[in-house]
Amino acid sequence: MLISTATLDPAFRVARVDRRLFGSFVEHMGRCVYGGIYEPDHPEADSAGFRQDVLELVRELGVTTVRYPGGNFVSGYRWEDGVGPRENRPHRLDLAWRSVETNEFGLGEFITWTRRAGVEPMLAVNLGTRGTEAACDLLEYANHPNGTRLSDERAAHGSREPYAVKMWCLGNEMDGPWQIGAKTADEYGRLAAETAKAMKQIDPSIELVACGSSHSQMPTFGAWEATVLDHAYDYVDYLSLHAYFEELDGDRGSFLGSAYAMDRFIEGVIATCDHVAAKKRSKRRLRLSFDEWNVWYAAGFAAADLGWARAPRLIEDEYTALDSVVVGNLMMSLLRHADRVAIACQAQLVNVIAPIRAEPGRPAWRQTTFYPFALTARHAVGDVLRVEPVSPVYATAQHGDVPVTDVVATRDPETGNTTVFAVNRHQDQPVEVRLDVRALGTTAVVEHLYLGGSDLGLANTAAVPDRVAPRTGSGARIDGGTCTVVLPPVSWTMVRLNSGR
Ligand code: AHR
């Protein structure tokens, strides 16, 4: 049997787990808002039109932060269309998704929804068709207490209390040729810096995210980040990363190595941020907002025919057990970089490449990818430990040699309990993982769950919503200071260790 080893020691820690790593994303795209979180005609809708079954699953998923309203959508959005009396709100063309936006759901509805869901809002401003003035207006409307035209308008619209939104994205994917109002790095860097300065004049407590590259394969990746930060470094708090992964041309080995590619991507962006810091002799270290990540079978979407419909079905990918293994592994990559990645948003929350699916009039259900997210959000608590697994490697077409096994662990200093997340990327062989846990003072394995291992093509559907769920593993044990667990081929595993305190 293949063997991998690692040592878990609380003396070696990466950082405290920032709860904002368990964020998600609601875009006005397809049926994420309309027919997703909001469906007034659904039997489970509350008085505000929010689906209660979806809200319950959002809470169960453990989402902490939700980015809104886009995505590509935001680059053509007029936020004013979505506030005030519904009967006055215009229908508009949404150029990003060639849809009709009715504006029935806007900022006020979103803030109310976040409170019912128990999540923190993260708003994006339009730096595509609009600029500093509209961003400042939106911030004044949302966060200024009262006594100005826009803050008084918010009160007249039903919220005397400011929304107090802390996290703001300065546009979306501004390097992408598909983006409405796409910019060069110099154009965007200047605009981001000036908008950041102005927004912080209105509310110095906010935190701002500048756009990094749309993905690591963009021709300007690296140069874009460096130029944008040359302009904006001193005014922003985070730089964004986006990444989507899919199995292309049956190349499963590379797909299973997605988290390895994500590690390299994150490390490249950190290096670029620190390069700019060094040039500026800055003592500040920028943190990262991985505010779009997921598995997305995007190659199929490129050919999709978009028409001018209201809330059309767009990219409602059906996820398999295989996808759940990769999603679980991507979350491990985020945890591993918890010292620099402060925020992460899985894209998106409902229906659109989402862990939660909803059909009109029917109960919502959990996709396979729901489970690794929910288990990680619930059990990755406390400090991320610095784990250096020693693993065999395998060759991939896209990423070179990739370790067969990946391991990440968190330890809660209050309880002393430890959670181990592990992935076996080997396609037909199990791996025995041997963890030296002597420094943890651990006494017992209390839970051992896994996804994948067999039936990798199975998915959950409206008709059979519970086909794929985590299975209880067997045989994980602690003996003489070594915790041993066997990972089935192509699987994601979570093992919880009790400190015995
Ligand atoms: O999440 C879907 C789309 O992917 C977003 O609108 C965009 O930012 C990204 O390209």
Side-chain angles (χ1 to χ4, degrees):
M1 171 136 42
L2 294 173
I3 292 172
S4 295
T5 60
T7 300
L8 309 187
D9 189 331
F12 300 99
R13 55 187 286 279
V14 177
R16 191 90 179 175
V17 177
D18 193 320
R19 302 313 297 169
R20 295 175 301 171
L21 285 180
F22 309 116
S24 190
F25 174 36
V26 166
E27 175 164 9
H28 282 252
M29 174 180 181
R31 299 190 313 118
C32 188
V33 172
Y34 305 108
I37 62 173
Y38 175 80
E39 188 183 336
D41 298 336
H42 193 278
E44 291 272 346
D46 64 11
S47 56
F50 305 148
R51 280 184 64 156
Q52 297 298 299
D53 57 341
V54 171
L55 269 171
E56 268 165 39
L57 288 180
V58 170
R59 292 187 201 107
E60 183 185 324
L61 188 61
V63 165
T64 52
T65 298
V66 176
R67 179 170 174 252
Y68 172 87
N72 297 343
F73 171 80
V74 80
S75 296
Y77 185 48
R78 300 166 170 97
W79 66 268
E80 302 89 334
D81 289 347
V83 299
R86 277 220 174 92
E87 59 277 15
N88 298 339
R89 299 188 193 176
H91 291 196
R92 297 267 193 197
L93 295 180
D94 158 19
L95 305 187
W97 304 115
R98 290 175 59 84
S99 307
V100 169
E101 173 55 54
T102 63
N103 287 302
E104 256 174 90
F105 188 102
L107 177 60
E109 288 77 20
F110 177 66
I111 296 293
T112 306
W113 181 86
T114 59
R115 290 179 181 155
R116 295 195 189 169
V119 302
E120 184 179 2
M122 177 180 189
L123 295 181
V125 301
N126 174 356
L127 293 188
T129 57
R130 308 186 82 182
T132 307
E133 186 176 79
C136 288
D137 285 353
L138 171 55
L139 178 59
E140 181 186 323
Y141 180 93
N143 282 14
H144 193 70
N146 56 48
T148 65
R149 176 166 164 191
L150 292 166
S151 56
D152 290 345
E153 251 178 49
R154 181 197 66 242
H157 294 160
S159 183
R160 189 163 295 283
E161 285 303 305
Y163 294 146
V165 177
K166 193 170 173 67
M167 287 182 289
W168 295 79
C169 303
L170 296 164
N172 177 70
E173 296 187 349
M174 299 307 305
D175 61 331
W178 58 86
Q179 200 69 216
I180 302 160
K183 302 199 165 24
T184 65
D186 278 308
E187 288 167 349
Y188 173 68
R190 289 278 305 122
L191 180 59
E194 293 306 318
T195 306
K197 272 162 57 181
M199 289 177 76
K200 285 199 174 173
Q201 291 278 45
I202 296 172
D203 183 350
S205 74
I206 60 173
E207 296 186 343
L208 294 171
V209 184
C211 290
S213 297
S214 297
H215 54 77
S216 63
Q217 301 309 308
M218 294 297 289
T220 52
F221 172 57
W224 169 274
E225 280 77 1
T227 304
V228 166
L229 292 180
D230 274 341
H231 294 291
Y233 194 91
D234 293 331
Y235 309 109
V236 302
D237 304 282
Y238 307 93
L239 187 69
S240 77
L241 297 84
H242 290 182
Y244 294 100
F245 301 91
E246 64 185 310
E247 183 176 332
L248 283 170
D249 305 322
D251 181 4
R252 185 153 297 180
S254 295
F255 181 49
L256 287 165
S258 296
Y260 179 81
M262 193 165 181
D263 288 340
R264 302 291 84 75
F265 180 25
I266 291 170
E267 286 151 20
V269 175
I270 291 170
T272 310
C273 291
D274 292 351
H275 160 78
V276 178
K279 278 202 304 184
K280 290 182 178 290
R281 279 84 175 157
S282 174
K283 291 192 173 59
R284 287 177 74 224
R285 283 295 168 271
L286 226 54
R287 294 205 290 162
L288 309 185
S289 171
F290 213 127
D291 46 43
E292 286 186 33
W293 69 268
N294 208 348
V295 170
W296 173 11
Y297 289 87
F301 174 67
D305 187 17
L306 303 175
W308 297 110
R310 175 191 181 273
R313 286 178 186 271
L314 296 180
I315 59 172
E316 299 192 358
D317 288 10
E318 187 170 89
Y319 291 115
T320 62
L322 169 68
D323 299 323
S324 75
V325 172
V326 173
V327 163
N329 202 182
L330 294 173
M331 296 193 81
M332 290 164 59
S333 171
L334 296 169
L335 285 173
R336 179 180 293 115
H337 296 97
D339 53 339
R340 298 300 290 267
V341 181
I343 306 165
C345 304
Q346 190 184 38
Q348 299 186 6
L349 184 59
V350 188
N351 287 331
V352 176
I353 46 171
I356 299 172
R357 285 293 317 273
E359 284 294 330
R362 304 183 64 178
W365 72 97
R366 303 166 189 82
Q367 293 237 55
T368 60
T369 52
F370 183 98
Y371 294 105
F373 191 109
L375 288 168
T376 307
R378 184 170 323 144
H379 295 296
V381 174
D383 297 330
V384 181
L385 302 185
R386 193 169 291 287
V387 181
E388 302 286 349
V390 178
S391 163
V393 297
Y394 69 105
T396 68
Q398 283 185 39
H399 322 301
D401 282 354
V402 170
V404 168
T405 315
D406 195 8
V407 181
V408 168
T410 59
R411 181 174 177 274
D412 182 350
E414 266 111 63
T415 61
N417 294 338
T418 300
T419 307
V420 180
F421 302 95
V423 161
N424 177 7
R425 299 173 175 134
H426 203 288
Q427 295 190 45
D428 39 54
Q429 289 193 46
V431 177
E432 181 174 292
V433 176
R434 296 178 187 164
L435 302 169
D436 181 337
V437 294
R438 284 172 299 174
L440 295 179
T442 296
T443 57
V445 173
V446 289
E447 191 172 29
H448 173 190
L449 296 174
Y450 71 99
L451 285 151
S454 58
D455 299 323
L456 295 174
L458 291 186
N460 295 336
T461 60
V464 194
D466 299 319
R467 200 185 269 133
V468 179
R471 287 182 272 190
T472 300
S474 63
R477 63 179 194 282
I478 298 178
D479 203 0
T482 301
C483 174
T484 307
V485 54
V486 175
L487 313 179
V490 188
S491 64
W492 174 92
T493 293
M494 182 188 79
V495 175
R496 294 201 298 121
L497 309 178
N498 191 326
S499 71
R501 271 189 201 164

